[in-house]
Amino acid sequence: MNSSPPILPIKILPILRPRPRANLVSPLLLEHAAEYMQERFNALIYSDQLFSVHIEAMCEKKINAVVFGGWARDRINELVNSANSISNDIDMVASGEHSVVDVLGEDAIPTVFGGCGRRESTIYFDAWDLPNTYHIKRHSLDLKFETLPLTADYTFNSVIFKPAQFFGKPSIFEIGAYSAIQDKIVEFQANEVILPTIQASRAINLSVKLNFELSHTVKSFIREVCENKISLDEVLLGLERYCSSNLIAIAKAKLMNTLR
């Protein structure tokens, strides 16, 4: 059933806000990155038995799926910045006659965005069906995988990876992710920020985790979100909940510095 998207708190960003550069990435560079991602994806399947079972089940049901956002971002960050990027989760968006939610099983945890997630052997696996992508549903966007980068929260997440398991040959499609990772900048991609207090915490967390700088727009957004004590306390709670224990103090200091 293709129901309406849930009503969630949303903050609208200025349409004419400054945008980071988005250099054209050479096809050869993208091909090299896709091959690297495929190697890492294969390694994850090999090392994580539960994840392997679910990928195999998706293939058997002829469900195509792409990796969207953070996991692909971390692999590009490893290539571009020689970073040691640890991915705690992987997001996949699926399309086919069967729902990916059915593949993950009844014990998977439903999400507010119409998908579900579950702890695999080594990584947390989030998955949802392409038509249930929040911004695609909200704005009736084209139902194709290449639309996904337009809906990304941050520019460095505006990338999809098509694994060979589903498409025969690995490939990457991105719209500014490579440049944002090269520039080490945390910048918004979409014009609408869903769950503002969570995203304020997340922006700080990602900035500290990746050692990236916050853009002018993101700094202004955080200041506006934290303009009252209730919201500030929620953002601080988000840092305690989502940051690695060794980064919480650094993240809180960065937040306070951003609010000055």
Side-chain angles (χ1 to χ4, degrees), residues 149-212:
L150 291 171
T151 73
D153 44 10
Y154 299 98
T155 308
F156 54 42
N157 284 338
S158 59
V159 55
I160 57 171
F161 165 58
K162 296 183 174 182
Q165 282 80 356
F166 303 105
F167 297 93
K169 179 182 179 181
S171 64
I172 290 173
F173 179 78
E174 62 90 44
I175 53 170
Y178 230 99
S179 295
I181 294 168
Q182 285 178 320
D183 292 343
K184 296 186 176 184
I185 189 75
V186 180
E187 178 61 282
F188 289 119
Q189 169 70 15
N191 293 322
E192 300 171 342
V193 182
I194 307 169
L195 302 172
T197 54
I198 290 178
Q199 287 294 3
S201 297
R202 193 157 173 261
I204 293 290
N205 180 27
L206 288 167
S207 173
V208 171
K209 173 186 173 182
L210 298 170
N211 195 25
F212 284 13

Side-chain angles (χ1 to χ4, degrees), residues 7 9 12 20 28 49 55-56 71 92 102 106 108 111 124 130-131 168 170 203 206 232 249:
I7 298 175
I12 308 298
L28 189 62
Q49 184 178 6
I55 295 300
E56 184 176 346
W71 188 91
M92 298 191 72
D102 296 334
E106 295 181 355
T111 68
Y124 196 85
L130 181 63
L206 288 167
L232 175 58

